[in-house]
Amino acid sequence: MYGSDRVYKKVEVIGVSKNGVEAAIQAALTKAHNTLEKVSWFEVQEIRGHVGDDGMVSEYQVILKVAFQLKD
Amino acid sequence: MYGSDRVYKKVEVIGVSKNGVEAAIQAALTKAHNTLEKVSWFEVQEIRGHVGDDGMVSEYQVILKVAFQLKD
Amino acid sequence: MYGSDRVYKKVEVIGVSKNGVEAAIQAALTKAHNTLEKVSWFEVQEIRGHVGDDGMVSEYQVILKVAFQLKD
Amino acid sequence: MYGSDRVYKKVEVIGVSKNGVEAAIQAALTKAHNTLEKVSWFEVQEIRGHVGDDGMVSEYQVILKVAFQLKD
Amino acid sequence: MYGSDRVYKKVEVIGVSKNGVEAAIQAALTKAHNTLEKVSWFEVQEIRGHVGDDGMVSEYQVILKVAFQLKD
Amino acid sequence: MYGSDRVYKKVEVIGVSKNGVEAAIQAALTKAHNTLEKVSWFEVQEIRGHVGDDGMVSEYQVILKVAFQLKD
Amino acid sequence: MYGSDRVYKKVEVIGVSKNGVEAAIQAALTKAHNTLEKVSWFEVQEIRGHVGDDGMVSEYQVILKVAFQLKD
Amino acid sequence: MYGSDRVYKKVEVIGVSKNGVEAAIQAALTKAHNTLEKVSWFEVQEIRGHVGDDGMVSEYQVILKVAFQLKD
Amino acid sequence: MYGSDRVYKKVEVIGVSKNGVEAAIQAALTKAHNTLEKVSWFEVQEIRGHVGDDGMVSEYQVILKVAFQLKD
Amino acid sequence: MYGSDRVYKKVEVIGVSKNGVEAAIQAALTKAHNTLEKVSWFEVQEIRGHVGDDGMVSEYQVILKVAFQLKD
Amino acid sequence: MYGSDRVYKKVEVIGVSKNGVEAAIQAALTKAHNTLEKVSWFEVQEIRGHVGDDGMVSEYQVILKVAFQLKD
Amino acid sequence: MYGSDRVYKKVEVIGVSKNGVEAAIQAALTKAHNTLEKVSWFEVQEIRGHVGDDGMVSEYQVILKVAFQLKD
């Protein structure tokens, strides 16, 4: 594929899951895959989370950029 | 709402107004609310502006990221 | 145009071309112009590229933000 | 005062107000002044906000660093 | 809660655990929850770690900011 | 104007005012307009301020870059 | 060891694994340990990944800096 | 020249040209050379550009820092 | 010590001294050591200073983060 | 290739050429290809240059990171 | 002085000295004080240096911003 | 030398010394000079240090990039 002119677009999404960083990434990718475009790759921008009254992480929030090819 | 899997998208917009920083923010939010999606929150990226021949600010330009939830 | 309220949107795209940095920029702009919106300006975010087995650049990849006005 | 050895501490706080950026800054300073220490200066780190169902800013959130002198 | 004036404080802590990134985050949150304040959310600043003589990660070190509300 | 070769210069200035962020920006622009050059646009770099003994903002300090065209 | 003059070197490596972030870190460390030097610590620079046609993460790519002591 | 005390100044300029990135750099350098000082070196800060109605780059805008020695 | 769960806190302080960068660092550490906690390490964030009417540095101001372990 | 564990290394090099940005990139890649390893990709970090007594660019200096796979 | 409207300008200079970091800072300040304006404060941007054939630092180069008040 | 094609490499090293910032820089340069290559210049990335039980700096740690020319 290298060497042929082509164009990609990057979109910023936030995946949220109580099951850890990888689960939050996959949540965002699944949603982007189903509603936006077939994603080629992702880049993590930021990892955050909410904490419950018991001091435990109640959810991970991962901000990512997802990239997909713009087709002709 | 915390604790349930969900996905947000962030979009970068620029609001322009001659009435100050807050007015430029609201201009961008109103447009995004009407043409894109119901916005949940915003993050200011950059504050700039144009200057008239009299040396007065003729408009404020505020670059923001606006975030909204991707619905099922 | 300065002084009237208006709103712009920025989108991140990646142009790829084996013909140099400017050609990769133009590839991204042409695609964005045809499939997204009439672009007003662009900002280069990053310049990268792939290298062939002979050690020569086989393609330039330029990540840019492109901006266009949101019409009423 | 310049020229004498002394030490300052910086603390990061977030002021929230529905009345604009300056009001959110002052809210954070008043609280810090009352509960932490007499503040000498502040530095804005980030401006964000929440948006209501009507697309209007419902509150401004300003993250700041506030600095105060550590007394002997 | 949105729309009422309030103030948060952010504190920087480092959690250390040999059991992975999430475990190091939780270690920091549990300690902050017990000795500082009830934490509302966290933001990961940096992920680092120590490596043993066998080339295996012997501990993960996660630098985070934790935020809590300053009560009246 | 677009398409003709031209050159701009950017200068970093700090405007100070007790009347808010926009007033500090305008203070810097008025001074630059009168003593340096006719300014075309500005970019905010940083917002800071001094706090009085009563915990109230006694002045806003806004660091900006101002740009003007270098004439032939 | 603190207090004696010594010198470290940092090298940037990318670990790739389909088994998660920690596995990608360990893959890079094992390779660096075997082919470069005994690593003392690591610092994560960036977390990225590739996505398969089914929208699932097919591999995690973690860019790290690894540090080791330069021996006499 | 190394080893003798001396002082340089850096100034930020923007070169504009429709003929590509290098032409925009040279436009800024020629103007700085003629109106400011004999430039020693330059550092590119940012590459941007304007796009015409036909989707083609109508001009490149390159922001640079130029450095020159302050003579006695 | 590596391998056991533990938590550190980082605090931002500014040391001021007319005797140079290292003296300003030590001033901040001595104050933090006496009034806050036993410091484990420091990281310089920024070096600044004030200049007297004669053009000589009248004091160095060094912003640092100091880290200390949170005990059980 | 995606999906199999592997490790890359990144090295920072500076290519210098009087013939433009792309020529400086290729100069660095050719040298790295001949003396270090077969390069897979590159990332531009910074573009600088030297200016002659006539105000013309006498050479472009491009700082890049080049990446190559660490073989078993 | 706090509370009265006023404007400062910042200029970027590089001080060079073989006698250490503080000597390079003072070299830049003395030159700026004599040829530009009475400097109020400085901020270190970067510390670099040249190395002689014997591996010893032959000079320190400190990039700083110096600030001075724009008088009426 | 300017104007001829050539290539440099940058390597990241950490010098450690209890005798101050300049001593830590020189420690790193001496080691790099003896074991790696003849260094042309250095750039300071970060200044840190360890603190003893008495609250005094027990060592300075300076992270630098050192650059040397790749010979034919």
Side-chain angles (χ1 to χ4, degrees):
Chain A
M1 189 178 69
Y2 293 119
S4 62
D5 283 19
R6 58 202 190 284
V7 177
Y8 295 86
K9 186 179 171 188
K10 281 197 207 177
V11 172
E12 197 168 12
V13 291
I14 306 176
V16 180
S17 170
K18 63 175 174 294
N19 296 318
V21 171
E22 281 95 343
I25 292 172
Q26 188 58 57
L29 292 174
T30 299
K31 172 68 81 179
H33 185 261
N34 289 339
T35 64
L36 299 172
E37 294 278 339
K38 184 184 130 5
V39 176
S40 293
W41 78 87
F42 69 91
E43 306 163 13
V44 173
Q45 302 288 296
E46 197 183 343
I47 299 172
R48 318 167 44 111
H50 190 260
V51 182
D53 286 343
D54 55 357
M56 305 300 286
V57 178
S58 56
E59 65 178 38
Y60 294 88
Q61 303 155 344
V62 182
I63 294 106
L64 358 142
K65 291 200 177 170
V66 298
F68 46 86
Q69 191 170 350
L70 290 177
K71 298 299 186 184
D72 296 313
Chain B
M1 189 177 69
Y2 292 119
S4 63
D5 283 19
R6 58 203 191 282
V7 177
Y8 294 86
K9 187 179 170 186
K10 282 196 207 176
V11 172
E12 197 169 11
V13 291
I14 306 177
V16 181
S17 170
K18 63 174 174 295
N19 297 318
V21 171
E22 280 95 344
I25 292 172
Q26 187 58 59
L29 292 175
T30 299
K31 173 67 82 179
H33 185 260
N34 289 338
T35 64
L36 297 174
E37 294 279 339
K38 185 184 129 7
V39 176
S40 294
W41 78 88
F42 69 92
E43 306 163 12
V44 173
Q45 302 288 298
E46 196 183 342
I47 299 173
R48 317 166 45 113
H50 191 259
V51 183
D53 285 344
D54 54 358
M56 305 299 286
V57 177
S58 56
E59 64 178 39
Y60 294 88
Q61 303 155 344
V62 182
I63 294 104
L64 356 143
K65 290 200 177 169
V66 297
F68 47 85
Q69 190 170 351
L70 290 177
K71 299 298 185 185
D72 295 315
Chain C
M1 189 177 69
Y2 291 120
S4 61
D5 282 19
R6 59 203 190 283
V7 177
Y8 295 86
K9 187 179 171 188
K10 281 197 207 176
V11 172
E12 196 168 13
V13 290
I14 306 175
V16 181
S17 171
K18 62 175 175 292
N19 296 319
V21 171
E22 281 94 343
I25 292 172
Q26 188 57 59
L29 292 174
T30 299
K31 172 67 79 177
H33 185 262
N34 289 339
T35 64
L36 299 173
E37 293 278 339
K38 184 185 131 4
V39 176
S40 294
W41 78 87
F42 69 91
E43 306 162 13
V44 173
Q45 302 289 297
E46 196 183 343
I47 300 173
R48 318 167 44 113
H50 192 259
V51 182
D53 285 345
D54 55 358
M56 305 299 286
V57 178
S58 56
E59 64 178 38
Y60 294 89
Q61 302 154 344
V62 181
I63 294 106
L64 354 145
K65 290 201 178 169
V66 298
F68 48 85
Q69 190 170 349
L70 289 177
K71 299 297 186 185
D72 297 315
Chain D
M1 189 177 68
Y2 292 120
S4 62
D5 283 18
R6 59 202 190 283
V7 176
Y8 296 86
K9 187 179 171 187
K10 282 197 207 176
V11 172
E12 196 168 12
V13 290
I14 307 176
V16 181
S17 171
K18 64 175 174 293
N19 296 319
V21 171
E22 281 95 343
I25 292 172
Q26 188 56 60
L29 291 174
T30 299
K31 173 66 82 179
H33 185 262
N34 289 339
T35 65
L36 298 174
E37 293 277 339
K38 187 185 124 12
V39 176
S40 294
W41 79 86
F42 68 91
E43 306 163 12
V44 173
Q45 302 289 297
E46 196 182 342
I47 300 172
R48 317 167 44 112
H50 191 258
V51 182
D53 285 345
D54 55 357
M56 305 299 285
V57 177
S58 56
E59 65 178 37
Y60 294 88
Q61 303 154 344
V62 181
I63 293 105
L64 354 144
K65 291 201 177 169
V66 298
F68 48 85
Q69 191 169 350
L70 289 177
K71 300 296 185 186
D72 295 315
Chain E
M1 189 176 68
Y2 293 119
S4 62
D5 283 18
R6 59 202 189 283
V7 177
Y8 295 86
K9 187 178 170 188
K10 282 197 209 177
V11 172
E12 197 169 10
V13 291
I14 307 176
V16 181
S17 171
K18 63 176 176 290
N19 296 318
V21 171
E22 281 93 344
I25 292 172
Q26 187 56 58
L29 292 173
T30 298
K31 173 67 81 178
H33 186 260
N34 289 339
T35 65
L36 299 173
E37 294 278 339
K38 185 185 126 11
V39 176
S40 292
W41 78 86
F42 68 90
E43 307 163 12
V44 173
Q45 302 288 297
E46 196 183 343
I47 299 172
R48 316 167 45 112
H50 191 259
V51 182
D53 286 344
D54 55 357
M56 306 299 285
V57 178
S58 56
E59 63 178 38
Y60 293 89
Q61 304 155 343
V62 181
I63 294 105
L64 357 144
K65 292 201 177 168
V66 298
F68 46 87
Q69 191 169 350
L70 289 177
K71 298 298 185 185
D72 296 315
Chain F
M1 190 178 65
Y2 292 119
S4 62
D5 282 21
R6 60 203 190 282
V7 176
Y8 295 86
K9 186 178 169 187
K10 282 197 209 176
V11 172
E12 195 168 13
V13 291
I14 307 176
V16 181
S17 171
K18 62 175 174 294
N19 296 318
V21 171
E22 280 94 344
I25 292 172
Q26 187 57 58
L29 292 174
T30 299
K31 173 67 81 179
H33 185 261
N34 290 340
T35 64
L36 298 172
E37 294 277 340
K38 186 186 129 3
V39 175
S40 294
W41 78 87
F42 70 91
E43 307 162 13
V44 173
Q45 302 288 297
E46 196 181 343
I47 299 173
R48 317 168 43 112
H50 191 260
V51 182
D53 286 343
D54 55 357
M56 305 299 286
V57 178
S58 57
E59 64 178 39
Y60 294 89
Q61 303 154 344
V62 181
I63 294 106
L64 356 143
K65 291 200 176 170
V66 298
F68 46 86
Q69 191 169 350
L70 290 176
K71 298 298 185 184
D72 296 314
Chain G
M1 190 178 69
Y2 293 119
S4 62
D5 284 19
R6 58 203 192 282
V7 177
Y8 295 87
K9 187 179 171 187
K10 281 197 208 175
V11 172
E12 197 168 12
V13 291
I14 306 175
V16 181
S17 171
K18 61 176 176 293
N19 297 318
V21 171
E22 281 94 344
I25 292 172
Q26 188 56 60
L29 292 174
T30 299
K31 173 67 83 178
H33 185 261
N34 290 338
T35 66
L36 299 173
E37 293 278 339
K38 184 184 126 14
V39 176
S40 293
W41 78 87
F42 69 91
E43 306 162 13
V44 172
Q45 302 288 297
E46 196 183 343
I47 300 172
R48 317 167 44 111
H50 191 260
V51 183
D53 286 344
D54 55 356
M56 305 299 286
V57 178
S58 56
E59 64 179 38
Y60 294 88
Q61 303 154 344
V62 182
I63 294 106
L64 353 145
K65 291 200 178 171
V66 298
F68 46 86
Q69 191 170 350
L70 290 176
K71 299 298 185 183
D72 296 315
Chain H
M1 188 177 68
Y2 293 119
S4 62
D5 283 18
R6 59 202 190 283
V7 176
Y8 295 85
K9 187 179 171 187
K10 282 196 207 177
V11 172
E12 196 168 11
V13 291
I14 307 176
V16 181
S17 171
K18 63 175 175 291
N19 296 317
V21 171
E22 280 94 344
I25 292 172
Q26 188 56 58
L29 292 174
T30 298
K31 173 68 81 178
H33 185 261
N34 289 339
T35 64
L36 298 173
E37 295 278 339
K38 185 187 127 6
V39 176
S40 293
W41 78 87
F42 68 92
E43 306 162 13
V44 174
Q45 302 288 297
E46 195 182 344
I47 300 173
R48 315 168 45 111
H50 191 259
V51 182
D53 285 344
D54 55 357
M56 305 299 287
V57 178
S58 56
E59 64 179 38
Y60 293 89
Q61 304 154 344
V62 181
I63 294 105
L64 356 143
K65 293 201 176 168
V66 298
F68 46 86
Q69 191 170 350
L70 290 176
K71 298 297 185 186
D72 296 315
Chain I
M1 189 177 68
Y2 293 120
S4 62
D5 282 19
R6 58 202 190 284
V7 176
Y8 295 86
K9 186 178 170 188
K10 282 197 208 178
V11 172
E12 196 168 12
V13 291
I14 307 177
V16 181
S17 171
K18 63 175 175 294
N19 296 319
V21 171
E22 280 95 343
I25 292 171
Q26 187 57 59
L29 292 174
T30 299
K31 173 66 82 181
H33 186 261
N34 289 339
T35 65
L36 298 172
E37 294 278 338
K38 185 184 126 12
V39 176
S40 294
W41 79 87
F42 69 91
E43 307 163 13
V44 173
Q45 302 288 297
E46 196 182 343
I47 299 173
R48 319 169 41 114
H50 191 259
V51 182
D53 286 344
D54 55 357
M56 305 299 287
V57 178
S58 56
E59 64 178 39
Y60 294 88
Q61 303 153 344
V62 182
I63 294 105
L64 355 143
K65 291 201 177 167
V66 298
F68 47 87
Q69 190 170 350
L70 290 176
K71 298 297 184 186
D72 295 315
Chain J
M1 190 177 68
Y2 293 119
S4 62
D5 282 19
R6 59 203 191 282
V7 177
Y8 295 86
K9 187 179 170 186
K10 283 197 207 177
V11 172
E12 196 168 11
V13 290
I14 306 176
V16 181
S17 170
K18 63 175 174 294
N19 296 318
V21 171
E22 281 95 343
I25 292 172
Q26 187 58 58
L29 292 174
T30 299
K31 173 67 82 179
H33 185 261
N34 289 338
T35 65
L36 298 174
E37 293 278 340
K38 185 185 129 4
V39 176
S40 293
W41 77 87
F42 68 92
E43 305 162 13
V44 173
Q45 302 288 297
E46 197 182 343
I47 299 172
R48 316 168 45 112
H50 191 259
V51 182
D53 286 344
D54 55 357
M56 305 300 286
V57 178
S58 56
E59 64 179 38
Y60 294 89
Q61 302 154 344
V62 181
I63 294 105
L64 357 142
K65 291 201 177 168
V66 298
F68 46 86
Q69 191 170 350
L70 290 177
K71 298 299 185 185
D72 296 315
Chain K
M1 190 177 67
Y2 293 119
S4 62
D5 283 20
R6 57 202 192 283
V7 176
Y8 295 86
K9 187 179 170 188
K10 281 196 208 177
V11 172
E12 196 168 12
V13 290
I14 307 176
V16 181
S17 171
K18 63 175 175 293
N19 296 318
V21 171
E22 280 94 344
I25 292 173
Q26 187 58 58
L29 292 174
T30 299
K31 173 67 82 180
H33 185 261
N34 289 339
T35 65
L36 297 174
E37 294 278 340
K38 185 183 127 10
V39 176
S40 294
W41 78 88
F42 68 91
E43 306 162 13
V44 173
Q45 302 288 298
E46 195 182 343
I47 300 172
R48 318 167 42 112
H50 191 259
V51 183
D53 285 346
D54 55 357
M56 305 299 286
V57 177
S58 56
E59 63 179 39
Y60 294 88
Q61 304 154 344
V62 181
I63 294 104
L64 356 144
K65 293 202 175 169
V66 298
F68 47 85
Q69 191 171 350
L70 290 175
K71 299 297 185 185
D72 296 315
Chain L
M1 190 178 69
Y2 294 120
S4 62
D5 284 19
R6 58 204 190 283
V7 176
Y8 294 86
K9 186 178 170 186
K10 282 197 208 177
V11 172
E12 196 168 13
V13 290
I14 306 176
V16 181
S17 172
K18 64 174 172 295
N19 296 318
V21 171
E22 281 96 343
I25 292 172
Q26 188 58 58
L29 292 173
T30 300
K31 174 66 83 180
H33 186 260
N34 289 338
T35 64
L36 298 173
E37 294 277 339
K38 185 185 130 4
V39 176
S40 293
W41 78 87
F42 68 91
E43 307 163 11
V44 173
Q45 301 289 298
E46 196 183 343
I47 299 173
R48 318 168 41 113
H50 191 259
V51 183
D53 286 343
D54 55 357
M56 305 299 286
V57 177
S58 56
E59 64 178 39
Y60 294 88
Q61 302 154 345
V62 182
I63 293 105
L64 354 144
K65 291 199 177 172
V66 298
F68 46 85
Q69 190 169 352
L70 290 177
K71 299 297 186 185
D72 296 316

